[in-house]
Amino acid sequence: MPQPTTTPPATSAPRSDPDASTVERLLQAAAHAFADKGFHATTTRDIASGAGLSPAGVYVHFGSKEELLFNLSRSGHESAVRLLRSAITDGRTPAEQLANIMARFSEWHVEQYQVARVVQYEHHHLTPDHHAEVLALRKEMDSLVRDVLDRGVTDGAFTVDDSADTALALLSIVVDVARWYSPTIRRTPSEIGSTNAALALRLVGAAH
């Protein structure tokens, strides 16, 4: 299963489109600006400047600032779903699957912290239709984790009173990485992932 790239795929332009590289630059610039300033404080001029374009150049490829946010948010969530599915497939037991989920998803939030910050904290600025599409992906992510927890309880590997509450707690640990992580932190993605995987296994009462 392909792993997410540093920048989410540009879904607005096909690979054969000669403007695809411009779309990619706009997405990169938008991710950086949204992560640094937030959606409302970011202007299309900020995004255009980061992509090396004039302000009018943004509208050649995206109808609005919100459309840029939607592309980033949707593709980021789709990458996250693929990552979770791969983590589950690669684990033989619920404990291995949960450890894989926590480790890899934490590493994803470190390695792509700007995109992750936008994906996790700015999606509420989307239009109702766009937000509904992203929310469906978030529910799918939650369902994948809950299914692992339920199977672990059935197997006797986990002690969990409420799988929905526990899934929320586990995903919150991972999501919060995007908020506090900075490249100046002297911890590698692998170290952060291993720490969160161990925390998760202790939380569900599983042996590491």
Side-chain angles (χ1 to χ4, degrees):
M1 188 75 69
Q3 295 299 310
T5 56
T6 301
T7 304
T11 56
S12 293
R15 291 182 183 277
S16 59
D17 189 337
D19 291 331
S21 61
T22 302
V23 170
E24 184 70 10
R25 293 205 316 275
L26 283 168
L27 288 169
Q28 289 175 337
H32 177 79
F34 291 153
D36 185 48
K37 294 183 174 184
F39 177 76
H40 280 311
T42 296
T43 66
T44 52
R45 184 178 294 275
D46 293 330
I47 296 169
S49 176
L53 300 172
S54 68
V58 175
Y59 297 105
V60 172
H61 303 282
F62 296 95
S64 66
K65 185 175 70 169
E66 188 274 343
E67 189 178 330
L68 266 165
L69 176 62
F70 174 57
N71 272 262
L72 283 168
S73 189
R74 179 180 58 187
S75 57
H77 279 88
E78 288 172 344
S79 291
V81 169
R82 290 196 298 271
L83 184 149
L84 294 184
R85 289 191 177 279
S86 177
I88 292 168
T89 299
D90 291 344
R92 295 172 299 173
T93 65
E96 287 186 3
Q97 291 168 352
L98 181 59
N100 286 348
I101 286 172
M102 294 298 289
R104 296 183 191 180
F105 206 20
S106 295
E107 290 172 19
W108 186 86
H109 279 75
V110 173
E111 293 167 349
Q112 304 180 63
Y113 71 96
Q114 287 186 329
V115 171
R117 198 169 292 167
V118 174
V119 166
Q120 300 294 4
Y121 294 108
E122 300 294 331
H123 63 88
H124 56 280
H125 296 301
L126 295 170
T127 64
D129 286 347
H130 285 168
H131 190 259
E133 187 170 338
V134 169
L135 185 60
L137 292 167
R138 294 178 74 86
K139 288 181 177 178
E140 183 176 357
M141 292 161 56
D142 179 74
S143 179
L144 288 169
V145 177
R146 281 192 287 111
D147 183 61
V148 171
L149 294 175
D150 288 339
R151 285 189 284 103
V153 170
T154 299
D155 292 350
F158 299 161
T159 302
V160 173
D161 294 329
D162 188 304
S163 61
D165 286 347
T166 304
L168 176 61
L170 293 172
L171 287 172
S172 295
I173 290 172
V174 177
V175 167
D176 199 47
V177 172
R179 179 189 61 79
W180 58 257
Y181 179 75
S182 165
T184 61
I185 292 175
R186 293 184 178 180
R187 294 177 66 197
T188 67
S190 178
E191 289 171 340
I192 293 171
S194 294
T195 295
N196 286 347
L199 285 172
L201 292 176
R202 286 201 293 271
L203 183 64
V204 300
H208 186 28

